[in-house]
């Protein structure tokens, strides 16, 4: 049996959209992008929502690697924006001694895998990075807040 994704929509909806009048209900477009693997090359640990919540509650750094126009529509509380295309220019702003969680739009978004690959190529320690694969997509669909 061959499993294939649905065809991509002509106008992808990269962020879950609230259903009017349906508190906690969202429409989700799962047809865009390329599905990211659970484990990224280089030994960076992948984390889920509970680990992200604990990370935020501990006051540790969280980085949203999406483009500014997506971040302006909402991001995970306490997240700092560092565009994945510009991450190389901002490596010095990241603390190599503290674990940083990075995320983007969700499992089919390539922004964070690209940013992490750039950091690793520049010698950033994999042990100090975490990949939240679920991103905004899974965060919102689980009823967690954006700011």
């Amino acid at each position: 049996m061959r499993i294939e994704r649905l065809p991509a929509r002509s106008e992808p909806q990269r962020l879950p959209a609230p259903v009017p009048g349906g508190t906690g209900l969202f429409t989700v477009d799962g047809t865009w992008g390329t599905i990211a693997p659970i484990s990224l090359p280089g030994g960076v640990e992948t984390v889920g929502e509970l680990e992200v919540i604990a990370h935020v509650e501990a006051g540790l750094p969280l980085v949203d690697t999406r483009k500014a126009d997506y971040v302006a529509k909402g991001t995970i509380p306490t997240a700092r924006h560092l565009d994945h295309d510009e991450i190389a220019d901002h490596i010095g702003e990241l603390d190599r001694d503290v674990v940083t969680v990075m995320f983007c739009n969700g499992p089919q978004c390539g922004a964070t895998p690209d940013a992490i690959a750039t950091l690793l190529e520049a010698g950033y320690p994999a042990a100090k990075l975490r990949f939240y694969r679920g991103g905004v997509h899974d965060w919102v669909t689980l009823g967690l807040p954006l700011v």
Side-chain angles (χ1 to χ4, degrees), residues 2-3 11 19 23 39 41 71 74 83 88 95 99-100 111 116 129 145:
R2 182 175 165 90
I3 297 175
E11 293 184 33
V19 173
T23 303
S39 300
V71 176
D83 187 314
D95 186 343
V99 173
T100 298
I116 288 174
L129 295 172

Side-chain angles (χ1 to χ4, degrees), residues 88-100:
D89 298 331
H90 298 278
I91 291 175
E93 298 172 28
L94 298 172
D95 186 343
R96 292 173 178 253
D97 296 326
V98 177
V99 173
T100 298

Side-chain angles (χ1 to χ4, degrees), residues 6 26 31 41 43 51 53 59 66 69 73-74 76 78 80 84 88 104 128 131 137 147:
L6 296 171
F26 296 87
T31 66
E51 292 82 9
I53 291 167
R66 300 175 300 155
D69 56 328
K73 294 175 184 173
I76 297 173
T78 77
R80 172 183 180 191
H84 68 101
C104 50
K128 296 300 180 181
F131 172 41
H137 178 279
V147 294

Side-chain angles (χ1 to χ4, degrees), residues 31-139:
T31 66
W32 63 274
T34 301
I35 301 171
I38 289 290
S39 300
L40 295 180
V44 172
E45 183 181 334
T46 301
V47 295
E49 293 74 25
L50 296 177
E51 292 82 9
V52 174
I53 291 167
H55 193 82
V56 167
E57 289 177 346
L60 296 170
L62 183 64
V63 174
D64 188 334
T65 64
R66 300 175 300 155
K67 297 287 184 188
D69 56 328
Y70 289 108
V71 176
K73 294 175 184 173
T75 191
I76 297 173
T78 77
R80 172 183 180 191
H81 174 234
L82 289 177
D83 187 314
H84 68 101
D85 285 335
E86 300 169 4
I87 198 85
D89 298 331
H90 298 278
I91 291 175
E93 298 172 28
L94 298 172
D95 186 343
R96 292 173 178 253
D97 296 326
V98 177
V99 173
T100 298
V101 172
M102 305 184 94
F103 69 94
C104 50
N105 273 335
Q108 68 275 37
C109 182
T112 297
D114 289 348
I116 288 174
T118 298
L119 291 171
L120 295 176
E121 288 169 14
Y124 202 90
K128 296 300 180 181
L129 295 172
R130 299 292 182 270
F131 172 41
Y132 172 37
R133 180 178 178 264
V136 170
H137 178 279
D138 289 1
W139 186 264

